[in-house]
Amino acid sequence: MRGFKVSVVPLMVLATGVTAEEYKSITTLSYSDLEYSYHDHYYSPMGWPYSPTSGYSVEETKYKTSSVGTTYFFGGKETLGPLKEFEYINKVSNISAQFSRYEIRNDYWRDDHHQNSLSTKGEYFIENGVVLSVGIEDQKYANIYDQSIGYFFTPNVLVKLNYSNTDFKYFDEEEEFSLTAQYSHQLSDAGYLGFTMNVAEETDDHILSSKYFVDFGNDKYLSVEASYYHGNGRIWGDASELSAEFYFNKETSVNIAYDENHRYKLEFSHFFNQNIAVDVAYLAAATNKYNGYYEDYGCDDCDAYRYDEYRLGLRVQL
């Protein structure tokens, strides 16, 4: 491992046939408008007058999120063909900051409130293969502090030990350790298969994700991602998501996705030139995944929830 310089490890995809662009900063602006309605069918074995024998209520919540974030790289960040595709494991030191504003309205409880969030993060790659990172996020009701130390066992294998401390303003603070391992396997000059696993302090709480990227030639590319979450005692239990993005050329792509909560996504992305791009996405869901519970009370045709979201994003890469 002597003499191994992580920050200058060349991308194998720069071989013949692949032309890369290089950037030192990526800035994004985004806005989303989400409407979520929860349909609750209830039943009371005590009956009237304690409460109606059965009933039906709808709780509607609206979220509006605006955010702006930027990342500055201390070395050139090179693309893998498409202008928004980069290497699976980042190897370039960087600093980043993001500001987000959330506006929430709950019609059922007649509750309106908003909150702001400001986060900063830095990653530093040392020539001997060690990587250090630190992050701070200031929320309305909590401050989150993250630190990690990692090591490149090879240029394609990174293992990190993470520590997170959440300082709640009205509750006791929480601490958690986790372990992250990443591996990238080069399949061709421009294609790879990457894996990431994150295991929390309780080893039964973990996330596994994978990404497959392939170059079909003639500026046609495909990216496929899958993720699986297993929660130890969490209310939602296991969850998974699958997405695929097809690049018609280096500037234009379309993405489709589906997750365990019956949520679909259709996204369109286009670069007007080498530096400016726009992203437009629509997400929707309507599910009756809890019918096994509700059908006992005569509600075998209820939707557990409905979900509609519109997203608009602007990306500037310099």
Side-chain angles (χ1 to χ4, degrees), residues 46-295:
M46 300 182 67
W48 195 262
Y50 301 98
S51 62
T53 303
S54 65
Y56 188 77
S57 66
V58 177
E59 181 177 334
E60 294 185 349
T61 306
K62 298 179 181 179
Y63 302 85
K64 293 184 178 181
T65 305
S66 304
S67 65
V68 56
T70 186
T71 301
Y72 177 80
F73 298 95
F74 292 95
K77 187 72 173 171
E78 296 178 313
T79 65
L80 296 183
L83 296 180
K84 71 172 187 177
E85 283 286 348
F86 300 92
E87 58 188 334
Y88 185 72
I89 303 176
N90 177 53
K91 302 181 180 74
V92 184
S93 298
N94 63 88
I95 56 173
S96 62
Q98 177 169 304
F99 174 80
S100 300
R101 178 178 175 85
Y102 309 91
E103 299 179 14
I104 305 171
R105 175 180 175 82
N106 188 299
D107 293 336
Y108 184 81
W109 297 104
R110 299 183 181 277
D111 179 36
D112 289 281
H113 65 278
H114 68 273
Q115 65 181 58
N116 299 328
S117 173
L118 177 63
S119 63
T120 57
K121 183 180 179 180
E123 288 183 295
Y124 179 62
F125 294 84
I126 305 176
E127 292 184 354
N128 61 4
V130 175
V131 53
L132 305 173
S133 69
V134 60
I136 302 174
E137 182 173 357
D138 182 7
Q139 299 181 353
K140 185 175 182 178
Y141 300 109
N143 292 321
I144 304 173
Y145 306 92
D146 296 310
Q147 301 91 37
S148 74
I149 180 171
Y151 184 73
F152 278 91
F153 289 89
T154 74
N156 295 322
V157 177
L158 172 63
V159 177
K160 295 191 297 183
L161 177 63
N162 314 298
Y163 169 74
S164 178
N165 178 282
T166 304
D167 183 12
F168 294 100
K169 295 184 178 180
Y170 302 107
F171 304 97
D172 295 334
E173 67 177 13
E174 292 184 358
E175 297 179 328
E176 184 176 54
F177 287 93
S178 64
L179 189 69
T180 302
Q182 289 185 290
Y183 170 68
S184 179
H185 177 68
Q186 206 71 29
L187 298 174
S188 64
D189 289 344
Y192 68 82
L193 180 61
F195 297 93
T196 298
M197 172 170 276
N198 181 271
V199 180
E201 190 171 0
E202 296 183 8
T203 57
D204 199 29
D205 187 3
H206 58 262
I207 300 174
L208 175 65
S209 63
S210 179
K211 182 175 181 179
Y212 171 68
F213 179 75
V214 61
D215 177 8
F216 292 124
N218 298 320
D219 283 345
K220 302 291 192 298
Y221 307 86
L222 176 67
S223 171
V224 179
E225 296 185 65
S227 63
Y228 171 75
Y229 167 78
H230 177 78
N232 181 22
R234 303 299 197 271
I235 186 171
W236 290 108
D238 298 349
S240 58
E241 181 176 353
L242 179 65
S243 67
E245 186 161 12
F246 178 75
Y247 292 88
F248 300 96
N249 48 54
K250 296 179 180 181
E251 296 82 19
T252 307
S253 66
V254 62
N255 178 282
I256 57 174
Y258 174 77
D259 67 21
E260 189 91 359
N261 294 318
H262 301 264
R263 184 172 56 175
Y264 302 84
K265 181 181 79 170
L266 178 62
E267 183 177 19
F268 173 80
S269 177
H270 177 70
F271 276 82
F272 297 100
N273 52 43
Q274 302 294 319
N275 306 109
I276 300 176
V278 64
D279 300 292
V280 180
Y282 173 68
L283 296 87
T287 178
N288 53 2
K289 62 184 295 186
Y290 300 112
N291 278 355
Y293 173 83
Y294 289 127
E295 65 185 7

